[in-house]
């Protein structure tokens, strides 16, 4: 059991880091899963890799509790109204992914959840990050605060989030890339991406749990809780790192990293495996 816990800790660390950085948690999980095999059923493992995200979601909720809480007694009536408006924009941004993702979840997994697709999307979006950053080098963002984010822009960013239904794209990567293209600052793009994750990842986790059922062995409960707690702690560190990093840097380094990782995934599964 100790060996299994150590494996879960590693998976939780990988999830906590890669869920928030625009480098694809799926790409990393596929690689880690090749070398770190949990002694669980395939169905449980598929559910675990999604439900572990609940820990990551809680990190956002904790870090941004005041900002996201429209009932905070310390907020003025105007601030509460602004918080409700923010939630409205988050819901609008989630609609495109919900409309496409919920009915086609199994189909998308069956068609695209494979190393070849992941390697391709890792490299593709890595290149796009570099192109977009070069294109925006001399442009000033038109949206520099979440309050100035329009409903139209929120929906359009949500359309970019649909791209993340393809494994290897990275949910945060697609939304951040889309938001920056639409004129938001990197900081606004990152924060809005975090907030979009709450209903999307919570919904995906609940959907997987319903499909799997709620009958767990004692070992499975320990594995789930360990993974979620680890992902929670590491996510807090990853989010703080990203927000600090983008104050002084662009996303090109993440683009280069994605290209290298995509090449490694392709080489391993096409040449070695």
């Amino acid at each position: 059991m100790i060996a299994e816990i150590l494996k879960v800790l590693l998976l939780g660390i990988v999830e906590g880091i890669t869920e928030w950085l625009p480098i694809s948690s799926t790409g990393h999980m596929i690689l880690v899963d090749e070398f770190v095999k949990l002694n669980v059923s395939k169905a449980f493992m598929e559910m675990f890799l999604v439900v572990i995200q609940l820990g990551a979601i809680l990190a956002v909720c904790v870090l941004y509790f005041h900002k996201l809480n429209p009932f905070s007694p310390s907020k003025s009536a105007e601030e509460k109204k602004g918080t409700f408006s923010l939630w409205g924009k988050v819901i609008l941004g989630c609609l495109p992914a919900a409309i496409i993702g919920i009915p086609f979840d199994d189909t998308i997994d069956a068609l695209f959840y494979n190393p070849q697709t992941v390697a391709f999307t890792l490299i593709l979006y890595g290149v796009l990050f570099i192109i977009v950053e070069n294109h925006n080098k001399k442009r000033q963002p038109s949206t520099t605060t979440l309050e100035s984010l329009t409903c139209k822009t929120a929906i359009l960013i949500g359309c970019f989030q649909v791209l993340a239904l393809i494994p290897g794209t990275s949910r945060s990567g697609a939304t951040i890339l889309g938001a920056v293209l639409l004129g938001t600052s990197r900081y606004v793009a990152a924060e809005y991406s975090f907030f979009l994750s709450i209903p999307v990842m919570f919904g995906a986790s609940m959907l997987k749990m319903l499909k799997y059922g709620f009958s767990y062995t004692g070992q499975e409960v320990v594995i789930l809780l360990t993974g979620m707690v680890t992902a929670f702690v590491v996510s807090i560190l990853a989010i703080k790192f990203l927000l600090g990093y983008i104050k002084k840097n662009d996303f090109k380094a993440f683009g280069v990293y994605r290209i290298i990782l995509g090449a490694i995934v392709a080489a391993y599964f096409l040449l070695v495996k």
Side-chain angles (χ1 to χ4, degrees), residues 22 125-133 173 176-177 251-252 255 258:
Y125 286 94
V127 172
L128 288 176
F129 261 118
I130 295 172
I131 292 174
V132 169
E133 285 292 3
I176 289 173
L177 191 67
F251 287 108
K252 283 195 282 188
R258 289 180 63 102

Side-chain angles (χ1 to χ4, degrees), residues 19 23-28 30 53 96-97 100-101 104-125 158-175 200 258:
E19 188 60 53
I23 53 178
S24 174
S25 59
T26 303
H28 288 78
I30 282 181
Q53 296 174 344
I100 302 297
F104 298 107
D105 179 57
D106 291 337
T107 302
I108 291 171
D109 277 354
L111 290 174
F112 300 112
Y113 197 92
N114 56 70
Q116 294 81 6
T117 299
V118 171
F120 175 77
T121 51
L122 278 168
I123 294 171
L124 173 63
Y125 286 94
C159 291
F160 276 94
Q161 185 170 235
V162 173
L163 298 173
L165 295 173
I166 307 299
T169 299
S170 169
R171 190 201 54 77
S172 62
T175 53
V200 169
R258 289 180 63 102

Side-chain angles (χ1 to χ4, degrees), residues 37-158:
K37 298 286 188 181
L38 281 179
N39 187 26
V40 295
S41 68
K42 182 180 179 181
F44 177 83
M45 190 63 191
E46 289 178 357
M47 183 272 296
F48 168 79
L49 291 177
V50 176
V51 175
I52 194 177
Q53 296 174 344
L54 285 174
I57 297 172
L58 289 175
V60 175
C61 295
V62 169
L63 287 173
Y64 289 97
F65 181 76
H66 178 72
K67 193 167 190 173
L68 294 172
N69 180 15
F71 306 106
S72 173
S74 63
K75 286 184 176 179
S76 65
E78 189 65 26
E79 287 173 329
K80 291 178 180 178
K81 182 180 177 181
T83 305
F84 277 116
S85 175
L86 174 59
W87 273 111
K89 295 170 187 175
V90 168
I91 292 170
L92 283 174
C94 290
L95 289 178
I99 292 170
I100 302 297
I102 293 175
F104 298 107
D105 179 57
D106 291 337
T107 302
I108 291 171
D109 277 354
L111 290 174
F112 300 112
Y113 197 92
N114 56 70
Q116 294 81 6
T117 299
V118 171
F120 175 77
T121 51
L122 278 168
I123 294 171
L124 173 63
Y125 286 94
V127 172
L128 288 176
F129 261 118
I130 295 172
I131 292 174
V132 169
E133 285 292 3
N134 286 335
H135 174 69
N136 284 349
K137 189 176 293 184
K138 296 182 180 179
R139 292 176 61 198
Q140 290 297 318
S142 57
T143 303
T144 56
T145 65
L146 283 170
E147 291 74 22
S148 61
L149 184 73
T150 66
C151 291
K152 177 183 176 181
T153 302
I155 293 175
L156 290 174
I157 294 173

Side-chain angles (χ1 to χ4, degrees), residues 8-14 16 225-235:
V8 174
L9 287 172
L10 177 60
L11 290 169
I13 291 170
V14 173
L225 291 178
T226 302
M228 288 170 60
V229 171
T230 305
F232 169 78
V233 174
V234 177
S235 288

Side-chain angles (χ1 to χ4, degrees), residues 16-22 56 60 171-172 194 197 201 235 239 242:
I17 294 173
T18 60
E19 188 60 53
W20 306 112
L21 305 186
V60 175
R171 190 201 54 77
S172 62
F194 297 157
S197 72
M201 291 164 62
S235 288
I239 290 169
L242 181 61

